[in-house]
Amino acid sequence: MSQLVSLANHGPVAVITIDNPPVNALSPGVPEGLASCIETAKADPAVEAIVIIGGGRTFVAGADINEFAKSISAGKGGGPDLTPLFTAIEDSPKPVVVAIHGAALGGGLELAMAAHYRIAVPDAQVGLPEANLGIVPGAGGTQRLPRLVGLAKAAEMIVSGQIVKAPAALELGLLDRMIEGDLLPGAVAFAQETAAKRPLPRTRERVVETDAAGLAAARDLARKTRRNQTAPVMALEALEAAGTLPFAEGLKKERELSAKSLTSEQASALIHAFIAERAVAKIPDLPKDTAPYPLHKAAIIGAGTMGGGIAMALANAGIDVRIKDTTQEALDRGLVTVRRNYSNSVAKGRFPQEVMDQRMALIHPQLDYAGFEEADIVIEAAFESMAVKKQLFAEIDKVAKPDCVLATNTSTLDIDEIASVTSRPEMVIGTHFFSPAHVMRLVEIVRGKATGKRVIATAMALAKTLRKVGVLVGNSMGFVGNRMMFPYMREAQFLVEEGATPAQVDRALNNFGMAMGIFAVDDMGGIDLNWRVQQEYAHLVKPGIRQPLMLRKLFEMGRYGQKTGRGWYVYDENRKAAPDPEVEALIERTAKDAGIERRQITDEEIIERCIYIMINEGARILEEGHASRASDIDAIYFSGYGFPAYRGGPMWYADTVGLRKIYDKIEEFHQKHGELWAPAPLLKRFALEGRTFAGWDEVREGKAA
Ligand code: T1G
């Protein structure tokens, strides 16, 4: 018996414990240990019933995703076939009870559904989130779940990857009982209670009622929420089989579809995204035992859109927040938005009114710095101007306590320059949230030259506490996200000068999988803000280098985007965008006046120019050391910039296309469009050496030579 799985008898009940930290994944040795324990318990005459339970903080979080990544990159496709083990459990002549705490996800829930009974503690969670990894459940999930909760609900759960809390799972018939108090004694008592009951309830023997409407609704859901993704569509095929084929044949069909999904580019990319999102927390030069400062009280400067959103994110995590602004009117406006956002969530049933009241009670608006001396962190979220930020940091430096972390939410400005007005630059760090800050998962954490290791650890811990993806980046212009966005936006503007329309560019980007087209993003963020940021850096633009022509014109016309009803697009009262012939005519005239020859532009060229320029800038960021790994850049782009996770992020996507192909195309654009397309040296080297960005990460992490 492997040490990952152990067996102990509690009277007539055999208790099998899976103990494979951190989340009891079905890593090599676990299925084998389980199979051996089950056989031992079956054969033991003293045993009347069997309990399977997880050690540590959770039940089983599924198959081992890291093993998947390894076997996929080794071209071996999928993980172990768990069917024989699960069949052995279901076939057991003695009742098998699965006792759930924490999470039972993917293979973990499939294991539970193969058992005869499922019990759980009230805060347990269950689900089949495989679609988030681009794969089809492969161990009976698409065949057993519809037998327990019905085809429609099963299809909805599998397409959405929804995690269901225990009370709802009990109502759905996915659980047999909720256990209050300690799980193990409760499970042993339940097993003894059911030990003699026959026949044993085997999920596979249940009938699936066909439900065409339910499947159609799930297909609709997949179209709306999983655009371009293949696994949900394949999972629906397996679910359909559950309603039309005998169990064993349905299982076979599922296995084929799951194995096929595992060899897909989308699965590789989404599994990369899962791992990348967790790798960001591992800072190469930050010793694991670096203790973050305590974070109980926070203070924010600026009650605008960002300040209000950050205050909500902190209050949602139970952190007490003071929020300061310069006028009562500004403060009131900010708090009205906060209150409205919470009311909308209550109205949508996301949480009850009392939770809203608790969170509002944690947010304290004020016009002065009273109480700021108690704050563990001060986050400045004021106007994006260096002068304003320097003045505020000079003030904060006087009121904040010595070990208070001084953070700025700047999206582009130099952290070192901001820190230079304080007596403690080592306590200054960038925490770049994204709008709406209470929703967007990404936080770029920007280290300055002097930023101390404990301050970095504190900011990373804050991101985790806020359940956000905190990515540490260097202090270069625009950090990582915006630094790659600037050339992307510029290239898109050149494309419309040369003949494309904003709608065509955005449509091509949408089809590629971007959550929003770049012109729609510009209109949402505000053309005035974009123009102002451009002015902050106008001094860096080399003379003679081509610059886009339209932004200034739209700014001077007061076309700021959604906020003025007109930008690149025209907006109706519901903020629905439509192409604006006036803008398209203005673009044509502007191009003509500038002597720019206009031509037909293909969607392929749009994608190559918009995405490859991003990748090229990403390579520069890596070689300058402003990102620890290529996968950090990917995590930034799929958690904060709407880059499709099923393409893995810009750097993973580059590897998928092939760096040589990308380099050759960039060199072609370099010849055609000049210096702005000069290939990044790292990209050139990797392309010529046949290397990948993923390979570079492995080298840097000592995982490869
Ligand atoms: N395999 C391997 N490692 C895993 C893992 C898994 N399934 N899940 C989590 N980890 C690691 C993770 O990388 C991190 O490691 C640590 O655990 C804590 O995770 C056959 C084919 C369980 C809700 O999709 O959703 O079963 O960074 O930081 O926020 O049909 O992890 O510390 O080194 O996320 O508390 C389906 C994935 C697999 C669930 C915990 N299962 N996991 O969240 O901690 S496919 C999933 C999660 C499958 C079958 C198919 C979450 C969590 P490290 P964490 P958390």
Side-chain angles (χ1 to χ4, degrees):
M1 278 180 231
S2 68
Q3 78 286 355
L4 298 174
V5 185
S6 59
L7 170 66
N9 288 3
H10 294 236
V13 177
V15 175
I16 299 174
T17 305
I18 301 169
D19 202 1
N20 178 28
V23 292
N24 293 332
L26 299 169
S27 317
V30 173
E32 298 78 0
L34 253 178
S36 140
C37 288
I38 289 280
E39 290 319 309
T40 307
K42 279 187 197 173
D44 182 343
V47 170
E48 295 169 8
I50 301 166
V51 166
I52 302 176
I53 193 166
R57 68 179 176 126
T58 184
F59 184 61
V60 173
D64 190 322
I65 297 171
N66 298 316
E67 288 298 317
F68 273 157
K70 276 191 232 144
S71 71
I72 288 173
S73 56
K76 289 206 212 102
D81 180 4
L82 297 165
T83 311
L85 167 64
F86 292 179
T87 305
I89 289 171
E90 196 160 38
D91 284 347
S92 164
K94 301 175 181 178
V96 179
V97 178
V98 161
I100 303 169
H101 72 297
L105 303 175
L109 180 57
E110 290 171 305
L111 163 60
M113 294 191 289
H116 307 116
Y117 299 101
R118 287 152 294 281
I119 62 174
V121 290
D123 62 357
Q125 303 185 350
V126 299
L128 295 179
E130 282 86 342
N132 300 339
L133 299 167
I135 53 183
V136 174
T142 65
Q143 304 305 304
R144 290 195 173 93
L145 187 62
R147 283 172 164 76
L148 291 169
V149 303
L151 198 50
K153 186 64 189 173
E156 182 206 316
M157 283 179 66
I158 290 175
V159 166
S160 65
Q162 177 197 7
I163 307 296
V164 178
K165 295 208 166 70
L170 183 70
E171 230 166 272
L172 285 170
L174 201 39
L175 296 176
D176 297 286
R177 186 173 300 169
M178 197 89 83
I179 302 290
E180 303 291 344
D182 280 358
L183 181 58
L184 180 55
V188 171
F190 180 92
Q192 276 179 300
E193 186 191 313
T194 53
K197 277 195 191 152
R198 294 295 180 279
L200 291 173
R202 293 190 168 87
T203 309
R204 68 167 178 244
E205 289 161 4
R206 293 179 179 222
V207 176
V208 179
E209 305 295 331
T210 53
D211 184 343
L215 282 176
R219 280 197 194 87
D220 214 31
L221 181 69
R223 257 192 309 278
K224 286 201 189 100
T225 61
R226 300 276 189 185
R227 209 158 45 87
N228 301 345
Q229 296 182 44
T230 51
V233 178
M234 293 161 83
L236 284 166
E237 212 182 313
L239 282 156
E240 199 157 1
T244 54
L245 298 177
F247 181 78
E249 286 171 45
L251 213 52
K252 193 162 159 292
K253 176 85 179 166
E254 174 198 87
R255 193 85 198 128
E256 285 160 15
L257 290 162
S258 181
K260 189 168 160 218
S261 71
L262 263 163
T263 57
S264 69
E265 265 186 11
Q266 291 194 357
S268 310
L270 285 162
I271 288 168
H272 160 75
F274 178 91
I275 294 170
E277 197 175 303
R278 282 144 187 89
V280 296
K282 301 170 177 114
I283 314 287
D285 65 337
L286 195 70
K288 277 210 177 67
D289 59 0
T290 306
Y293 291 105
L295 274 178
H296 306 302
K297 290 187 176 210
I300 297 174
I301 299 184
T305 310
M306 292 310 296
I310 297 168
M312 289 178 71
L314 290 159
N316 295 354
I319 296 175
D320 190 82
V321 194
R322 291 177 180 280
I323 183 163
K324 172 188 182 301
D325 211 313
T326 48
T327 66
Q328 192 59 48
E329 192 234 340
L331 215 46
D332 295 345
R333 200 172 42 241
L335 270 294
V336 163
T337 307
V338 167
R339 190 173 288 285
R340 189 178 50 238
N341 288 337
Y342 277 137
S343 305
N344 291 346
S345 297
V346 171
K348 291 186 186 131
R350 294 221 181 95
F351 45 75
Q353 183 62 41
E354 56 267 22
V355 170
M356 169 175 169
D357 300 341
Q358 284 158 8
R359 293 176 180 182
M360 286 300 296
L362 286 170
I363 301 175
H364 316 289
Q366 57 190 73
L367 292 171
D368 56 20
Y369 282 114
F372 268 54
E373 68 284 356
E374 296 161 12
D376 301 308
I377 184 168
V378 175
I379 303 177
E380 167 276 315
F383 194 64
E384 189 71 352
S385 137
M386 183 56 86
V388 170
K389 294 189 189 289
K390 287 171 96 169
Q391 184 218 325
L392 289 171
F393 268 73
E395 291 170 11
I396 301 169
D397 192 31
K398 294 198 183 65
V399 293
K401 64 182 180 178
D403 60 352
C404 174
V405 171
L406 309 183
T408 169
N409 182 57
T410 180
S411 55
T412 58
L413 299 174
D414 181 345
I415 305 293
D416 295 331
E417 191 176 342
I418 294 171
S420 68
V421 300
T422 73
S423 60
R424 46 180 140 170
E426 73 285 358
M427 298 306 287
V428 176
I429 193 162
T431 51
H432 177 205
F433 288 81
F434 290 75
S435 182
H438 63 294
V439 176
M440 293 297 285
R441 295 194 312 131
L442 176 64
V443 183
E444 266 186 331
I445 294 169
V446 190
R447 69 191 302 172
K449 267 203 294 293
T451 305
K453 290 198 181 331
R454 288 196 69 190
V455 171
I456 294 172
T458 308
M460 297 299 289
L462 175 67
K464 193 156 177 118
T465 304
L466 303 183
R467 301 196 69 73
K468 297 202 180 277
V469 181
V471 186
L472 186 68
V473 299
N475 180 32
S476 71
M477 188 192 102
F479 313 136
V480 169
N482 284 347
R483 179 172 163 181
M484 293 166 68
M485 178 90 138
F486 293 148
Y488 162 35
M489 211 171 227
R490 182 187 63 216
E491 209 52 37
Q493 292 178 46
F494 287 159
L495 283 159
V496 295
E497 289 172 10
E498 294 163 30
T501 64
Q504 182 199 357
V505 171
D506 280 1
R507 195 175 42 252
L509 292 166
N510 274 139
N511 292 343
F512 175 80
M514 296 300 286
M516 267 179 103
I518 190 66
F519 292 105
V521 169
D522 202 16
D523 276 353
M524 182 178 70
I527 285 172
D528 52 331
L529 277 186
N530 185 357
W531 177 249
R532 212 172 296 116
V533 169
Q534 304 281 333
Q535 299 325 294
E536 283 271 351
Y537 289 98
H539 62 284
L540 293 175
V541 176
K542 291 198 193 113
I545 295 291
R546 181 183 175 190
Q547 286 302 304
L549 304 169
M550 284 301 298
L551 200 64
R552 169 197 289 277
K553 294 195 180 243
L554 297 177
F555 175 74
E556 287 166 354
M557 295 162 76
R559 297 182 68 109
Y560 297 165
Q562 286 189 11
K563 63 178 100 175
T564 57
R566 288 171 184 277
W568 292 100
Y569 296 101
V570 60
Y571 293 84
D572 66 13
E573 63 285 356
N574 304 319
R575 291 201 170 203
K576 191 164 178 336
D580 189 340
E582 189 190 326
V583 167
E584 291 172 12
L586 178 64
I587 294 171
E588 256 184 69
R589 270 199 317 281
T590 306
K592 192 157 168 283
D593 298 348
I596 295 170
E597 193 201 324
R598 290 172 60 78
R599 56 189 170 83
Q600 283 300 316
I601 299 210
T602 63
D603 287 5
E604 188 192 11
E605 179 180 351
I606 290 169
I607 294 303
E608 286 175 342
R609 285 174 60 178
C610 287
I611 306 295
Y612 290 10
I613 196 91
M614 228 194 250
I615 293 166
N616 198 39
E617 195 61 29
R620 288 188 200 291
I621 289 168
L622 281 177
E623 65 199 337
E624 292 167 17
H626 287 303
S628 302
R629 45 185 84 83
S631 66
D632 282 10
I633 297 177
D634 291 332
I636 285 171
Y637 259 76
F638 61 70
S639 65
Y641 286 79
F643 196 97
Y646 65 79
R647 291 187 188 275
M651 310 315 277
W652 180 269
Y653 172 69
D655 285 347
T656 311
V657 173
L659 297 191
R660 184 61 205 249
K661 179 166 176 235
I662 295 210
Y663 168 69
D664 291 345
K665 185 53 80 174
I666 287 178
E667 192 45 48
E668 182 193 316
F669 289 149
H670 184 207
Q671 300 312 319
K672 227 189 258 166
H673 302 295
E675 191 186 333
L676 291 173
W677 274 98
L682 182 78
L683 177 67
K684 179 175 180 181
R685 181 156 57 88
F686 276 23
L688 301 180
E689 294 170 4
R691 297 176 60 180
T692 64
F693 290 127
W696 194 61
D697 284 353
E698 288 187 357
V699 170
R700 281 177 60 94
E701 299 195 353
K703 289 187 191 150

